[in-house]
Amino acid sequence: AGEIFLVIRGTASAKDALTDGDCAVAPLDSSLPELRGADAHRGMARAAQWVFTQSEPLLRNALGAVSAASKKKTFSPKLVLIGHSLGAGVAAILATKFRALPGFGAFVRCAAFACPPCLDERAGDACEPYVTSVVLHDDVVCRASLQNVQGLVRRIDAIDWRAMAREDFDASDAGRAAAFCGRGLESVRAGAGAAAKIAADGAAKAAKAAGAA
């Protein structure tokens, strides 16, 4: 009882994909002391600011109504932000904004499902008391930071995949058959070359003999 939910969906359109891809570093711009100077994913930070501007008046009114009702009962009001994938990153950043807002503060909680990297390490640690990140096993979305992707590209570039592909092909039945056919053709070429040389030598000798006669 007393919980107000704001739910943000994940990527569902081309515009959302552009927000995902806008992964440059941007200041989090938080007034919380523990988050001053922290950085965030630029696209998600901008999305969080937009959601904050649109939702803050409505949520403030709702929280006020729940707070008034809670004085007569035994529950405490809570603002619960829930998001999945892109929405999880936006919800986590949004939680820092509401957490810093007078009248919200300790009432704010966030559940981020399959949350992509959206804050720097220091900010992530600072948000731990009120942001819960839920990760399923080896979900790549939760590890797809710009640094990780750049590192993956460097490791792929360093692989000599042509040599590995050649080794795999040579070890296969098709590779062994190709090698056998290649040796057979080489033998035929060598034999044909020797025969042609013998024929040429014979023709030269015959011509010389005919000239002598």
Side-chain angles (χ1 to χ4, degrees):
E3 295 175 328
I4 302 166
F5 293 93
L6 175 61
V7 182
I8 306 174
R9 62 164 171 74
T11 302
S13 68
K15 289 182 179 180
D16 293 339
L18 291 175
T19 299
D20 289 320
D22 186 10
C23 53
V25 174
L28 182 59
D29 195 24
S30 174
S31 61
L32 293 172
E34 64 272 23
L35 294 178
R36 285 174 186 161
D39 291 324
H41 181 291
R42 184 171 66 184
M44 295 180 196
R46 289 176 175 175
Q49 181 59 50
W50 184 86
V51 175
F52 177 80
T53 301
Q54 299 295 315
S55 64
E56 187 273 333
L58 296 174
L59 293 175
R60 183 177 290 279
N61 290 338
L63 191 62
V66 172
S67 296
S70 68
K71 293 177 181 178
K72 303 175 184 179
K73 299 181 180 179
T74 58
F75 61 85
S76 298
K78 291 184 181 67
L79 171 60
V80 183
L81 308 174
I82 300 175
H84 170 256
S85 192
L86 169 61
V90 173
I93 296 173
L94 191 61
T96 68
K97 295 183 177 297
F98 279 113
R99 190 79 173 183
L101 203 62
F104 287 85
F107 297 135
V108 178
R109 296 288 184 274
C110 174
F113 294 88
C115 186
C118 60
L119 296 169
D120 63 27
E121 184 176 2
R122 181 171 65 86
D125 290 341
C127 294
E128 186 176 354
Y130 53 92
V131 176
T132 300
S133 179
V134 182
V135 179
L136 177 63
H137 301 305
D138 298 325
D139 188 350
V140 69
V141 170
C142 308
R143 298 165 174 85
S145 67
L146 178 60
Q147 291 82 358
N148 284 345
V149 172
Q150 289 173 336
L152 177 61
V153 170
R154 286 194 298 270
R155 289 194 292 272
I156 291 174
D157 285 343
I159 296 173
D160 187 0
W161 61 269
R162 289 182 178 85
M164 295 173 65
R166 183 65 186 178
E167 289 176 4
D168 289 344
F169 177 74
D170 289 345
S172 68
D173 291 341
R176 287 190 289 271
F180 176 80
C181 292
R183 285 196 297 270
L185 290 174
E186 289 170 3
S187 298
V188 170
R189 291 193 195 99
K197 186 175 185 306
I198 292 170
D201 290 345
K205 289 177 180 179
K208 184 176 180 181

